[in-house]
Amino acid sequence: MSTTNTVNQKELFGQPIGLYILFLTEMWERFSYYGMRALLVLYMTTSTLGEDARGAGLGWTSKEALALYGWYTMLVYVMSIPGGMIADKLIGQKKAVLYGAIVLCLGHGVLVLTDTWAFYTGLGLVILGVGLLKPNISTMVGGLYKEGDIRRDKGFSIFYIGINLGSLLATLIIGLVVKEWGWHSGFGLAGIVMLIGLVNYIYGQKFLTHVGNFVSIENDPNEISYGKLYAKLFQSPLQLGFTIVLLAASAFGWYTLEWGYGLLFIFLTAITSLLMMIYKELDSQIFKDRFLVLLLSFIMVIVFWGAFEQAGGLMNLYTESNTDRVLFGWEIPTIMFQSLNAGFIIIFATVVASIWAKRKLKGKEASSLFKMALGIIIMGFGFLFMVFAAMEFEKSGTSSMIWLVLAYLFHTIGELCLSPVALSFITKLTPVKYASLMMGVYFAATGLGSKVAGIIGEAASDFGEYAIFSGILILTLIIGTLFILILKPLKRLTHGAEESEKNL
Ligand code: GLN
């Protein structure tokens, strides 16, 4: 297991210096991730003839491209579960981040090559690299603070700005690089930037001596082993019964859908039974209740990302083919629209964080669960503008880019209410020994959301964008409101985890 030893450390602007090292590492990692994500569906759907300066693409249909995009963005985050487990059980978070960064450099490097094998190998390596790096760097941020430290939420908001600074730079720069020098230069740039992230992390180690270290505690009687938990499953009839039902459903999924879904369902069954056993083994009702509420909050996470992740997929394609992108005589590259989200985050992150802080001081509702539910509603509302865009397109054959700007604005405000808050919430509610695993489960939930987004996006070729955008609008508003309605009982289950926060 790894420990997140939380001793007081040197500060800069009221936060531990280690936060800024993690901020920069994650910034460069996200540059490479989002740069690549913005290119992906466009590269896959570009013809193989190489008709413009961007060079040849893969010549796939949108449906095929969105299907692969859905699997890819899902796997990237689902791999956070093994990534978190490896950190907990074998090497600690700090080394996991290091190895993840190295694998990512390799992955982006391979993508520079134009062969098909290189495309799949590169994507595979990126999936493994993000799985090792992403959950563990986030857990390390949580480890910089003691329990009840009021700086924690702000620390996560700052970290979140780093994520989006990376994404903003990537989508601004990679769009231009690809326009001039072609797809593979874009992939290559992502690799170079990841290398900068790796060097930054290695040089920043002296500020991270207290977090993410692996400590072997083989003889500790409190130590959990996943193997033991699975063994105990056979003595727990209720959990075993449920696992068998899920396995049968997975087998059904394998035969009726495709083998990829079958494997995914089996993997999810294995995780669900592990979570059931962890719940059973938790030693107090308080921890059990908090664990339960965390899992319930993951439903919000899946719904949120299921809608939000249209950004890199369907909304990206919509921008490319249905939107008038000409501004003052210059056609804005599609990829650059992806920078709106990150740009808005950088502008509004501190505004949103200080609104919550002010409300909290006044004793008004500012629980994480409330913010997350509100985040779904605000983000969902953004789809109203995509409905307007689709209506305009149906009428006149093109749609104004203002709709995209407004949609991304609402998506971003929603994201700020949900995403940094959820990261911080996990580190507050989970016992330290399960911290990396639960961070992994959280990211896997976002990954499942991405897969849902891919499936919804694919359906657009059958039902049309208007129906899809309206459907997302209605569903997200309903689900967000439902969570607001059950807020009180949910909050009770947290047993005041957020009520005792103070300056330490
Ligand atoms: N945009 C955020 C990031 O890249 C959240 C992504 C997610 O949780 N799926 O970190």
Side-chain angles (χ1 to χ4, degrees):
M1 190 184 102
S2 61
T3 56
T4 32
N5 191 349
T6 49
V7 295
N8 269 333
Q9 297 152 63
K10 273 194 191 152
E11 288 190 357
L12 181 67
F13 304 122
Q15 290 284 346
I17 295 188
L19 175 67
Y20 302 102
I21 303 297
L22 299 176
F23 172 103
L24 288 173
T25 310
E26 180 64 338
M27 180 178 98
W28 295 125
E29 185 270 331
R30 290 287 95 182
F31 181 113
S32 62
Y33 175 74
Y34 280 108
M36 219 277 261
R37 170 182 172 275
L39 300 184
L40 209 53
V41 287
L42 301 176
Y43 170 66
M44 289 186 280
T45 51
T46 297
S47 101
T48 50
L49 301 173
E51 287 147 336
D52 60 32
R54 299 184 299 182
L58 297 179
W60 295 6
T61 64
S62 338
K63 203 169 174 161
E64 287 164 339
L66 287 174
L68 186 121
Y69 179 79
W71 279 112
Y72 167 74
T73 47
M74 181 200 79
L75 283 173
V76 154
Y77 290 119
V78 164
M79 275 298 142
S80 296
I81 294 184
M85 286 176 163
I86 288 171
D88 267 344
K89 293 288 163 195
L90 297 173
I91 53 177
Q93 293 128 11
K94 198 152 49 185
K95 276 202 183 134
V97 170
L98 177 71
Y99 297 153
I102 295 171
V103 175
L104 279 168
C105 289
L106 291 175
H108 288 293
V110 171
L111 281 169
V112 176
L113 307 174
T114 50
D115 308 84
T116 317
W117 70 262
F119 179 66
Y120 288 110
T121 311
L123 290 189
L125 288 170
V126 173
I127 288 168
L128 293 179
V130 175
L132 275 171
L133 187 144
K134 183 81 172 144
N136 293 313
I137 199 165
S138 314
T139 314
M140 282 175 77
V141 174
L144 293 168
Y145 308 94
K146 285 183 185 166
E147 200 183 326
D149 189 336
I150 203 162
R151 297 175 308 166
R152 179 189 300 257
D153 276 0
K154 185 123 185 256
F156 271 101
S157 291
I158 295 174
F159 180 68
Y160 214 74
I161 294 179
I163 289 175
N164 286 282
L165 206 51
S167 162
L168 176 70
L169 292 173
T171 42
L172 288 179
I173 299 171
I174 290 199
L176 295 175
V177 168
V178 167
K179 200 172 178 191
E180 286 298 317
W181 294 291
W183 299 111
H184 296 278
S185 315
F187 291 137
L189 181 62
I192 293 170
V193 164
M194 192 56 236
L195 205 57
I196 301 177
L198 175 62
V199 171
N200 157 79
Y201 184 65
I202 292 172
Y203 275 95
Q205 287 301 305
K206 58 176 177 288
F207 299 107
L208 299 170
T209 47
H210 309 296
V211 278
N213 298 310
F214 176 69
V215 180
S216 169
I217 44 168
E218 272 165 28
N219 300 322
D220 184 339
N222 294 324
E223 171 60 349
I224 44 125
S225 111
Y226 299 133
K228 270 189 213 153
L229 285 174
Y230 277 119
K232 282 191 181 171
L233 181 65
F234 293 95
Q235 297 147 23
S236 318
L238 191 66
Q239 287 77 358
L240 185 64
F242 194 57
T243 305
I244 292 171
V245 171
L246 289 180
L247 272 180
S250 306
F252 184 69
W254 188 305
Y255 287 110
T256 47
L257 298 166
E258 53 180 272
W259 62 268
Y261 281 103
L263 279 182
L264 173 65
F265 294 155
I266 290 172
F267 176 76
L268 293 178
T269 302
I271 298 302
T272 310
S273 43
L274 183 65
L275 294 176
M276 286 189 298
M277 293 313 294
I278 290 179
Y279 178 81
K280 192 169 174 232
E281 293 296 307
L282 283 171
D283 38 26
S284 80
Q285 193 55 39
I286 293 186
F287 280 139
K288 279 184 196 271
D289 287 348
R290 287 180 174 174
F291 194 73
L292 198 64
V293 84
L294 198 59
L295 292 180
L296 286 173
S297 74
F298 288 173
I299 297 176
M300 288 201 263
V301 171
I302 297 176
V303 171
F304 182 88
W305 294 104
F308 180 96
E309 276 292 324
Q310 298 303 334
L314 184 61
M315 284 171 71
N316 208 5
L317 290 174
Y318 190 88
T319 313
E320 169 95 345
S321 36
N322 295 9
T323 306
D324 175 11
R325 289 179 278 117
V326 180
L327 188 68
F328 305 124
W330 183 60
E331 181 166 69
I332 305 171
T334 303
I335 295 168
M336 286 180 93
F337 280 83
Q338 297 292 311
S339 49
L340 284 168
N341 170 236
F344 284 142
I345 292 235
I346 293 162
I347 298 170
F348 293 112
T350 44
V351 179
V352 172
S354 57
I355 292 176
W356 295 131
K358 271 193 197 133
R359 283 183 69 90
K360 191 161 199 160
L361 284 179
K362 283 190 195 154
K364 289 195 183 148
E365 177 62 74
S367 68
S368 297
L369 292 163
F370 171 73
K371 294 175 196 168
M372 289 163 78
L374 190 67
I376 295 185
I377 294 176
I378 296 176
M379 182 273 306
F381 195 67
F383 278 97
L384 183 63
F385 302 106
M386 292 313 296
V387 172
F388 290 156
M391 281 163 68
E392 191 188 343
F393 181 78
E394 272 172 24
K395 237 192 213 160
S396 62
T398 183
S399 70
S400 159
M401 63 178 112
I402 188 69
W403 303 126
L404 281 167
V405 176
L406 288 169
Y408 283 128
L409 174 66
F410 278 80
H411 284 187
T412 306
I413 305 288
E415 182 185 352
L416 280 171
C417 294
L418 180 134
S419 189
V421 171
L423 291 176
S424 181
F425 192 55
I426 296 161
T427 64
K428 286 176 204 167
L429 256 67
T430 318
V432 173
K433 61 181 175 181
Y434 297 113
S436 306
L437 172 71
M438 291 313 286
M439 194 57 92
V441 175
Y442 165 76
F443 280 114
T446 73
L448 290 180
S450 301
K451 181 72 188 123
V452 171
I455 296 170
I456 297 174
E458 281 174 63
S461 26
D462 300 323
F463 299 102
E465 280 94 354
Y466 176 76
I468 296 294
F469 292 143
S470 320
I472 299 177
L473 169 69
I474 294 166
L475 266 179
T476 45
L477 296 188
I478 291 177
I479 294 174
T481 312
L482 278 180
F483 268 98
I484 300 251
L485 291 176
I486 58 163
L487 201 63
K488 266 206 176 135
L490 280 185
K491 255 181 72 183
R492 228 175 288 134
L493 290 178
T494 66
H495 294 275
E498 299 192 284
E499 272 140 37
S500 57
E501 289 178 337
K502 52 186 179 294
N503 289 309
L504 290 174

